[in-house]
Each structure stands twice: as C-alpha cells, then as structure tokens.
Amino acid sequence: MDATTADTTAARSATPSRAWAEIDLAALRGNVRALRERAAGAALMAVVKADAYGHGLLPCARAARQAGADWLGTATPEEALALRAAGVGGPVLCWLWTPGGPWREAIEADVDVSVSGMWALREVTDAARAAGRPARVQLKSDTGLGRNGCQPADWPELTAAARAAETEGLIRVTGLWSHFACADEPGHPSVAAQLTAFHEALATAEAAGLRPEVRHMANSPATLTLPEAYFDLVRTGVAMYGISPVPQVGGPADFGLRPVMTLAAHLAHVKRVPGGHGVSYGHSYVTPGETTLALVPLGYADGIPRHASGAGPVLVAGKLRTVAGRVAMDQFVVDLGGDSARVGERAVLFGTGEHGEPTAEDWARAAGTIAYEIVTRIGARVPRLYRDDPEGAGGPGGGGGPEGRSDEPVAGTAYPHPEQGRR
Ligand SMILES: *Cc1c(COP(=O)(O)O)cnc(C)c1O
C-alpha cells in the first residue's frame, strides 16, 4: 500500500457516517489573497467571530494569516483570548464588550479592545493600572448604524478622555473605527452620510491629539463595492468565506471568491411509498403518486432552517431536489420522484455550486434569510472536515476532478483537523 492509498483510507475511515461540513482552507486562502489585492492600499483584518462564521475559529484564523491577513477580528473578548491561548500571534481586535469583561486578560494577551463609551474607557484604564502596562484601545464611532459606537455628541468627551489616558501612559489609542448599516445596498444614502460622519469623527479625534495606527470602516460589502471606505484597513468576514454580501450585484465568482464550506450528509433511508402518503410533521407535503423518498439526516438542530421547509434545495442522485414537508430537529425528507438512490449515498445541501450542488445563497433565498446566517448556524453536532490542498491543482491523492456527484464521502485529501476534538 503506497502513501496515497494510506492517506485516502485514513480520510475515508475518518469521514463521519451521518453528515459533515467540509471546509476548504485553500479556498479561504485564495479569498484572502483576492481581497488583499482588491484593497491593495489597505491592511486586511480577517473577521473570525462566531467560530469563523461556523467554519472553525483556529483553522480559519491560521489559514487567513498564512494568506497574509494582517489583523484578526472577533466580536467577543473570549474569542480573541481563544486565539491567543492557541498560540495565534499578531494584531487582534475584539469589539463586543460588556461591563466586567476580561479587560486585564486582553491587555496581558496584547489584544486590542474597542471602546464605545466612557464606562468602557474607565474599565480599561483601571485594568491597565492593575496590569501595570498600557492597553491597546480602538475608539468606535457611531456614524449612523445606531448599534455600538459613540454618538457624535459624546465623541469629543470620549476622544479627549482617551487622549488624557494616553498621556498618562494607561492606554495607547491604536485605532479609530466605525461600521456601516447599508453597505450591502450600494448607493443607499446612508453610505455617503456615514463616510462624511466618519471623516468628521477622525478630524475631531486628531484635533484631540490622537494619532492612531489604523482608521477603518469597510466590511465585506464595502470592500467589494466602495474603495472610498478603505482607509487604512478593511475588515472582511463573509467574503473571506466565499459568500457574496451583495448577491444582487454579483456572485462569489464575480469577485474572484470561492465558497469555503460544503455541507453534505449520507442518506439514512430510501423507500418506496404509495401516492397520497403524508411526509414529515404536519403532513404539509403529501406524495402526488407512488414515489421514492430519501431521508437526509440533518435538521434544525444542525442549523438547517425550519423556514426552508418545502423549499430548501439538495443535490441527491445527480439532480436538484427540494425538501419535502417540514424540516425536523434531526432530519428531513426529499422526494426523488421516479428516480432512486442508494441508502448511504451522498446528499449535498450546499457547496461551491460548481458541481451542480446548491449554494448557501440558494438556501438563504429558500429560507428568507442571508447566506451569512446559513453557514454561521451550522451546529456543533456537524463535524468540520478540513481540506487543505496544496495551492493550484486538486492536490496529490485528491481524487481530482469534480466530486460533487460522487457518492464517496469526502474524496482524497479531506481529513479531520487536529483541532477536530474541540467541536
Ligand atoms: C461582522 C463584522 C464585520 C465583518 O462583516 P462582513 O460583512 O461579514 O464582512 C466587520 N466589522 C464588524 C464590526 C462586524 O461586526
């Protein structure tokens, strides 16, 4: 048995029997490079909050760094500290703080913290005093999103107090930043208004004596559509995972991006049933005639939206099918009509779309939501398999070629990541 055979055997035996999400780290790296090229004058922050939008925090953070991401961004401090605990270095910003948060741990871990108000500035300066070293602080301005961030009326007080704390040696103001409300609707009047407000906020901060390392505002949609918003840094999340945040403008391929997650399962049951047979809870679907039903062992506990009942698309036995009846907690059914499939055959819920399978965007449309939510909700019960082909070809032993129609579990180079146990 040569090495390739051994690897393939290992990959197969490691493939979960029920369902899995394959995460293509080479695609993620390609996306990071494409985004860096697009915003060439700016640094890039890879946003890895929410377990990297469901793709897995550490493997994605490391792959993003390998591809040149200058910064990593998280929502919660716990997410940022998890990066540090795993040995991930380099600049990291976390922005969603609450009173009593782990300010001192963040300071000691060299994590940048975001401050939107005086209460947070007080807590972080207290923590810096206790730690005996300055905190790296980024001040967030609310330029119109109306969520986190400091209102323009309170900004002069916050920036002046931050400057005073800087002079005292308690903090270093490393960044000034804001976030868009409607960057995914290019031309929305709030976009230009927020840019103007941000320029004003920067001028006020600079007049207070602040000289940050980075000023930033752009999320994925602004990075793809609004160069005026680049400033020193762009913060890309969903685009890095190969999903277009502006599907009405273009799909991933139009922006040089490739979806990273493929969600698949093995059919748990296939059977003939007579016409007039109710399917799943509530019998919202009744077979129109004698037919073959296939059972997909994924449900809303795995993050499959119940709102996609009767609507979600699935590739089974070489054709696109639709969820028949309700999505249950652990399973749903598809009607194969006159076709058949083998029990254990692969069903693909979404992937790149390159092999006839649906995309996360298709599921978003079916469920009345956005593709961000589709991938991020995929639950912890679904193991992630990390595929990490060498750049370029399909990779040695990768089986090559399109695999979407194959019923092999996961071809070739997919393997469980060393961090699999975390999930
Ligand atoms: C989630 C988030 C981002 C990334 O948004 P995408 O649209 O996924 O690129 C950027 N900045 C902040 C503050 C965020 O919360």
Side-chain angles (χ1 to χ4, degrees), residues 395-408:
E403 299 138 26
R405 289 193 187 84
S406 156
D407 60 357
E408 281 304 326

PDB file of all heavy atoms in Angstrom, residues 395-408:
ATOM      1  N   GLY A 395      -4.599  18.695  -5.924  1.00  0.00           N
ATOM      2  CA  GLY A 395      -3.756  18.168  -4.859  1.00  0.00           C
ATOM      3  C   GLY A 395      -3.478  16.691  -5.064  1.00  0.00           C
ATOM      4  O   GLY A 395      -4.274  15.972  -5.653  1.00  0.00           O
ATOM      5  N   PRO A 396      -2.336  16.221  -4.580  1.00  0.00           N
ATOM      6  CA  PRO A 396      -1.969  14.829  -4.754  1.00  0.00           C
ATOM      7  C   PRO A 396      -2.944  13.922  -4.007  1.00  0.00           C
ATOM      8  O   PRO A 396      -3.302  14.213  -2.872  1.00  0.00           O
ATOM      9  CB  PRO A 396      -0.560  14.746  -4.151  1.00  0.00           C
ATOM     10  CG  PRO A 396      -0.459  15.918  -3.231  1.00  0.00           C
ATOM     11  CD  PRO A 396      -1.380  16.971  -3.766  1.00  0.00           C
ATOM     12  N   GLY A 397      -3.375  12.896  -4.660  1.00  0.00           N
ATOM     13  CA  GLY A 397      -4.280  11.959  -3.990  1.00  0.00           C
ATOM     14  C   GLY A 397      -5.646  12.556  -3.751  1.00  0.00           C
ATOM     15  O   GLY A 397      -6.469  11.986  -3.062  1.00  0.00           O
ATOM     16  N   GLY A 398      -5.892  13.716  -4.334  1.00  0.00           N
ATOM     17  CA  GLY A 398      -7.157  14.399  -4.079  1.00  0.00           C
ATOM     18  C   GLY A 398      -8.308  13.809  -4.871  1.00  0.00           C
ATOM     19  O   GLY A 398      -9.428  14.246  -4.740  1.00  0.00           O
ATOM     20  N   GLY A 399      -7.996  12.804  -5.672  1.00  0.00           N
ATOM     21  CA  GLY A 399      -9.066  12.217  -6.467  1.00  0.00           C
ATOM     22  C   GLY A 399      -9.324  13.083  -7.692  1.00  0.00           C
ATOM     23  O   GLY A 399      -9.888  12.629  -8.668  1.00  0.00           O
ATOM     24  N   GLY A 400      -8.878  14.341  -7.647  1.00  0.00           N
ATOM     25  CA  GLY A 400      -9.019  15.275  -8.770  1.00  0.00           C
ATOM     26  C   GLY A 400     -10.464  15.441  -9.182  1.00  0.00           C
ATOM     27  O   GLY A 400     -11.358  14.858  -8.592  1.00  0.00           O
ATOM     28  N   GLY A 401     -10.664  16.265 -10.156  1.00  0.00           N
ATOM     29  CA  GLY A 401     -11.960  16.367 -10.815  1.00  0.00           C
ATOM     30  C   GLY A 401     -13.115  16.685  -9.893  1.00  0.00           C
ATOM     31  O   GLY A 401     -12.961  16.815  -8.690  1.00  0.00           O
ATOM     32  N   PRO A 402     -14.266  16.838 -10.511  1.00  0.00           N
ATOM     33  CA  PRO A 402     -15.457  17.160  -9.731  1.00  0.00           C
ATOM     34  C   PRO A 402     -15.886  15.968  -8.877  1.00  0.00           C
ATOM     35  O   PRO A 402     -15.919  14.850  -9.362  1.00  0.00           O
ATOM     36  CB  PRO A 402     -16.499  17.466 -10.797  1.00  0.00           C
ATOM     37  CG  PRO A 402     -15.994  16.840 -12.063  1.00  0.00           C
ATOM     38  CD  PRO A 402     -14.529  16.713 -11.941  1.00  0.00           C
ATOM     39  N   GLU A 403     -16.202  16.230  -7.645  1.00  0.00           N
ATOM     40  CA  GLU A 403     -16.604  15.148  -6.757  1.00  0.00           C
ATOM     41  C   GLU A 403     -18.054  15.269  -6.361  1.00  0.00           C
ATOM     42  O   GLU A 403     -18.577  14.432  -5.661  1.00  0.00           O
ATOM     43  CB  GLU A 403     -15.784  15.187  -5.465  1.00  0.00           C
ATOM     44  CG  GLU A 403     -14.314  15.030  -5.661  1.00  0.00           C
ATOM     45  CD  GLU A 403     -13.582  16.004  -4.764  1.00  0.00           C
ATOM     46  OE1 GLU A 403     -14.157  16.375  -3.736  1.00  0.00           O
ATOM     47  OE2 GLU A 403     -12.477  16.401  -5.118  1.00  0.00           O
ATOM     48  N   GLY A 404     -18.667  16.351  -6.798  1.00  0.00           N
ATOM     49  CA  GLY A 404     -20.000  16.644  -6.304  1.00  0.00           C
ATOM     50  C   GLY A 404     -21.006  15.534  -6.568  1.00  0.00           C
ATOM     51  O   GLY A 404     -21.923  15.345  -5.802  1.00  0.00           O
ATOM     52  N   ARG A 405     -20.810  14.802  -7.651  1.00  0.00           N
ATOM     53  CA  ARG A 405     -21.804  13.782  -7.965  1.00  0.00           C
ATOM     54  C   ARG A 405     -21.381  12.413  -7.450  1.00  0.00           C
ATOM     55  O   ARG A 405     -22.112  11.461  -7.539  1.00  0.00           O
ATOM     56  CB  ARG A 405     -22.023  13.725  -9.464  1.00  0.00           C
ATOM     57  CG  ARG A 405     -22.766  14.939  -9.959  1.00  0.00           C
ATOM     58  CD  ARG A 405     -23.267  14.735 -11.373  1.00  0.00           C
ATOM     59  NE  ARG A 405     -23.827  15.962 -11.874  1.00  0.00           N
ATOM     60  CZ  ARG A 405     -23.109  16.922 -12.409  1.00  0.00           C
ATOM     61  NH1 ARG A 405     -21.812  16.804 -12.531  1.00  0.00           N
ATOM     62  NH2 ARG A 405     -23.696  18.027 -12.822  1.00  0.00           N
ATOM     63  N   SER A 406     -20.165  12.332  -6.979  1.00  0.00           N
ATOM     64  CA  SER A 406     -19.699  11.048  -6.474  1.00  0.00           C
ATOM     65  C   SER A 406     -20.391  10.770  -5.147  1.00  0.00           C
ATOM     66  O   SER A 406     -20.785  11.673  -4.435  1.00  0.00           O
ATOM     67  CB  SER A 406     -18.193  11.132  -6.270  1.00  0.00           C
ATOM     68  OG  SER A 406     -17.787  10.197  -5.315  1.00  0.00           O
ATOM     69  N   ASP A 407     -20.536   9.497  -4.840  1.00  0.00           N
ATOM     70  CA  ASP A 407     -21.109   9.229  -3.531  1.00  0.00           C
ATOM     71  C   ASP A 407     -20.026   8.827  -2.543  1.00  0.00           C
ATOM     72  O   ASP A 407     -20.301   8.363  -1.457  1.00  0.00           O
ATOM     73  CB  ASP A 407     -22.222   8.176  -3.602  1.00  0.00           C
ATOM     74  CG  ASP A 407     -21.723   6.854  -4.144  1.00  0.00           C
ATOM     75  OD1 ASP A 407     -20.532   6.794  -4.503  1.00  0.00           O
ATOM     76  OD2 ASP A 407     -22.523   5.908  -4.205  1.00  0.00           O
ATOM     77  N   GLU A 408     -18.759   9.038  -2.964  1.00  0.00           N
ATOM     78  CA  GLU A 408     -17.691   8.882  -1.979  1.00  0.00           C
ATOM     79  C   GLU A 408     -17.922   9.913  -0.886  1.00  0.00           C
ATOM     80  O   GLU A 408     -18.298  11.048  -1.180  1.00  0.00           O
ATOM     81  CB  GLU A 408     -16.326   9.167  -2.622  1.00  0.00           C
ATOM     82  CG  GLU A 408     -15.776   8.015  -3.438  1.00  0.00           C
ATOM     83  CD  GLU A 408     -15.664   6.738  -2.627  1.00  0.00           C
ATOM     84  OE1 GLU A 408     -15.380   6.842  -1.422  1.00  0.00           O
ATOM     85  OE2 GLU A 408     -15.880   5.661  -3.188  1.00  0.00           O
TER      86      GLU A 408
END
